[in-house]
Amino acid sequence: MKVRFKEIKNKEELSEYLERLGNTPEGIKILSQKGKTYLFEIEGIDTRGANILKQDAISVGGDCAVPRSASVFKPGKWTVLLMVNERELKRLTDKLKAQPYGLKELAEKLREAFENYRREEFTLRYRGRELPLKRPVVMGILNVTPDSFSDGGKFNRVDAAVKRCEEMLEEGAKIVDVGGESTRPGSEPVPLEEELKRVIPVVEEIRKRLGDDFFISVDTYKSRVAEEAISAGADIVNDISGFRFDERMAEVVAQYRCPAVVMHIKGTPKDMQKNPYYEDVMAEIVNYFEEVFRRAEEKGVSREQLIVDPGIGFGKRIEDNLCILKRLKELKVFGRPILIGVSRKSFIGKITGVEVPEKRLAGSISAAVIGAMNGARILRVHDVRETVEALKLLSAVEEVEC
Ligand code: 9MG
């Protein structure tokens, strides 16, 4: 006999492997649910609930890590870690439905979180356009701030933006993100009229001259800019504030029924890098999105319109940015596509020692690929061609049958 390790990534790959091994369809159905253990952190469970949960988890073949104080029945609220495979989770949630102390509600939350986490199929849809997100796609950055296309007057600036947009589409971008206000750390807000003057003519021209076969997103947190950009041909709102800087933004997104990126930010671009601190950055981001989703739904936005973005570099220390990249999959709990923007950001410069942002290509691509491996479906980048090539390699590896 020989023993080898087998690296199998997900349920689908396990099913294929079991088929090759000669298992029956019935066997494959059962065994493919046992190949992976899922860890659920459950916060705020009381002592009685925690002990019943542990008993029930063990009875179905899983387990639950409970703090010592809870297991000796000290009253209180605790954080526990549930460890179960898919089959065990199904049995466990059936049992919990009949239990008191909030366990019935927990069963529903576990079921929903699991379903969301496992979701792989997403499609962006707007005005008859469709963009499947089964594989990661590239969103090209089109800054239309005065320093972006500095030579010439207004007409030349629009022309230059259209040209750059065309290049990015040829290089494989599926979305172009048009933004008229810098959100770099320390930057000042731009007055509404100025932002409109920068953004709207560019959106109009790229839609008119470059056709319909791509998505335009508008990078703004101002509802008027979003509204006018959508009327001028944009399809997606990219709001770095998660609908929080402008009260009306969620209403506009609800009214136009367009997809929208909601990003996590701590503070504002002007002050966000002044001593940001997190106990647990991912936990804070998840709590933030729960609130963003709740408020958006109240205003009539459907969850299916939303794309989540942890806001790398927006009120984060280097270790926070790295932690987000490492634990990005935790954001799958919302069952929505994940977008990240890492391109040329300062944490890449700090780690690689490359000071000039335009020279951070290798670090930017590496970070984008790490993000894509960990669940990102949209990568917001400056260097479109190189990122598209890198993602092709990732797809080839992930899809090879071996
Ligand atoms: C405008 N902008 C700059 N960085 C960004 C990021 O990481 N995400 C999104 N959605 N927008 C960004």
Side-chain angles (χ1 to χ4, degrees):
M1 280 195 286
K2 285 183 183 169
V3 176
R4 285 192 292 265
F5 279 100
K6 198 76 200 158
E7 272 294 324
I8 295 183
K9 212 177 77 223
N10 53 34
K11 189 178 173 185
E12 288 64 41
E13 279 188 13
L14 178 57
S15 299
E16 282 164 22
Y17 172 81
L18 293 172
E19 199 177 340
R20 288 204 296 278
L21 218 58
N23 282 258
T24 62
E26 296 76 29
I28 292 172
K29 196 162 172 242
I30 295 168
L31 289 167
S32 64
Q33 295 178 16
K34 293 186 171 183
K36 186 168 165 27
T37 299
Y38 296 89
L39 306 178
F40 296 86
E41 188 180 79
I42 300 162
E43 192 187 311
I45 189 166
D46 85 3
T47 305
R48 297 158 304 177
N51 281 290
I52 294 174
L53 179 64
K54 182 168 177 84
Q55 270 177 15
D56 281 352
I58 291 172
S59 76
V60 298
D63 210 331
C64 184
V66 172
R68 170 112 187 103
S69 302
S71 57
V72 296
F73 286 94
K74 183 172 175 207
K77 299 257 185 199
W78 312 97
T79 297
V80 301
L81 188 73
L82 176 66
M83 310 167 193
V84 280
N85 65 32
E86 183 181 348
R87 195 172 164 79
E88 291 158 359
L89 181 69
K90 274 199 194 117
R91 291 185 168 165
L92 176 65
T93 49
D94 283 345
K95 284 187 156 215
L96 293 179
K97 277 183 204 152
Q99 296 285 16
Y101 312 127
L103 294 176
K104 184 168 172 234
E105 294 72 25
L106 176 65
E108 182 49 29
K109 282 190 181 157
L110 287 169
R111 198 199 53 71
E112 191 188 325
F114 185 69
E115 212 167 89
N116 283 344
Y117 187 86
R118 288 277 304 275
R119 182 169 174 184
E120 291 292 329
E121 303 280 339
F122 304 100
T123 304
L124 289 188
R125 292 191 176 85
Y126 199 56
R127 292 198 184 110
R129 264 186 284 286
E130 288 204 354
L131 178 58
L133 298 176
K134 191 159 174 56
R135 300 293 324 161
V137 300
V138 162
M139 168 191 265
I141 299 169
L142 192 64
N143 283 331
V144 290
T145 48
D147 53 339
S148 347
F149 303 107
S150 41
D151 51 338
K154 179 172 162 274
F155 180 72
N156 284 343
R157 277 214 305 276
V158 174
D159 266 359
V162 174
K163 186 162 168 278
R164 177 65 196 135
C165 181
E166 192 172 20
E167 269 167 20
M168 292 197 291
L169 295 172
E170 278 166 11
E171 290 173 354
K174 300 290 182 204
I175 307 171
V176 175
D177 190 37
V178 183
E181 174 177 323
S182 170
T183 48
R184 279 196 210 110
S187 54
E188 297 280 351
V190 167
L192 172 67
E193 290 306 323
E194 178 59 28
E195 194 177 332
L196 287 168
K197 251 196 317 197
R198 292 178 188 176
V199 169
I200 305 306
V202 170
V203 171
E204 263 167 6
E205 282 304 298
I206 59 182
R207 187 49 90 212
K208 198 159 76 193
R209 292 202 234 160
L210 303 178
D212 265 344
D213 199 20
F214 65 99
F215 279 73
I216 301 174
S217 64
V218 57
D219 157 21
T220 187
Y221 53 79
K222 298 188 185 85
S223 60
R224 265 283 304 285
V225 177
E227 203 165 19
E228 295 204 18
I230 294 166
S231 303
D235 313 284
I236 302 172
V237 172
N238 174 21
D239 182 353
I240 60 142
S241 82
F243 301 159
R244 291 170 326 119
F245 290 176
D246 182 336
E247 282 279 306
R248 251 190 87 239
M249 187 62 110
E251 283 158 33
V252 168
V253 168
Q255 184 191 338
Y256 288 89
R257 295 178 177 281
C258 58
V261 180
V262 280
M263 199 192 79
H264 174 268
I265 181 171
K266 195 162 178 144
T268 64
K270 188 156 173 51
D271 64 17
M272 64 191 179
Q273 288 310 113
K274 291 184 183 153
N275 294 320
Y277 174 77
Y278 300 86
E279 271 304 314
D280 178 340
V281 66
M282 287 310 278
E284 203 169 304
I285 291 173
V286 167
N287 290 342
Y288 167 100
F289 281 128
E290 274 167 7
E291 184 59 16
V292 167
F293 273 60
R294 193 190 59 72
R295 283 209 249 160
E297 280 173 311
E298 245 172 43
K299 295 270 170 81
V301 178
S302 151
R303 284 178 86 89
E304 289 293 306
Q305 288 173 256
L306 299 177
I307 297 161
V308 294
D309 179 345
I312 289 181
F314 285 82
K316 319 280 184 334
R317 299 161 297 179
I318 296 181
E319 62 263 43
D320 300 322
N321 295 318
L322 299 175
C323 179
I324 292 169
L325 279 177
K326 189 173 182 176
R327 289 170 51 192
L328 193 65
K329 279 195 183 138
E330 292 178 20
L331 292 185
K332 288 172 75 180
V333 70
F334 296 104
R336 299 304 308 141
I338 300 169
L339 181 151
I340 58 163
V342 286
S343 189
R344 301 181 183 175
K345 286 193 175 165
S346 68
F347 80 102
I348 293 176
K350 297 263 166 52
I351 286 169
T352 57
V354 180
E355 269 178 34
V356 181
E358 289 73 18
K359 293 191 175 164
R360 294 177 187 154
L361 178 62
S364 298
I365 292 177
S366 308
V369 171
I370 293 167
M373 288 175 78
N374 287 337
R377 294 301 172 88
I378 305 175
L379 287 319
R380 183 180 181 277
V381 307
H382 297 88
D383 304 292
V384 172
R385 187 173 54 77
E386 293 86 346
T387 313
V388 168
E389 279 177 15
L391 291 174
K392 280 186 184 164
L393 203 75
L394 175 63
S395 287
V397 171
E398 288 188 341
E399 282 168 11
V400 71
E401 282 190 21
C402 64

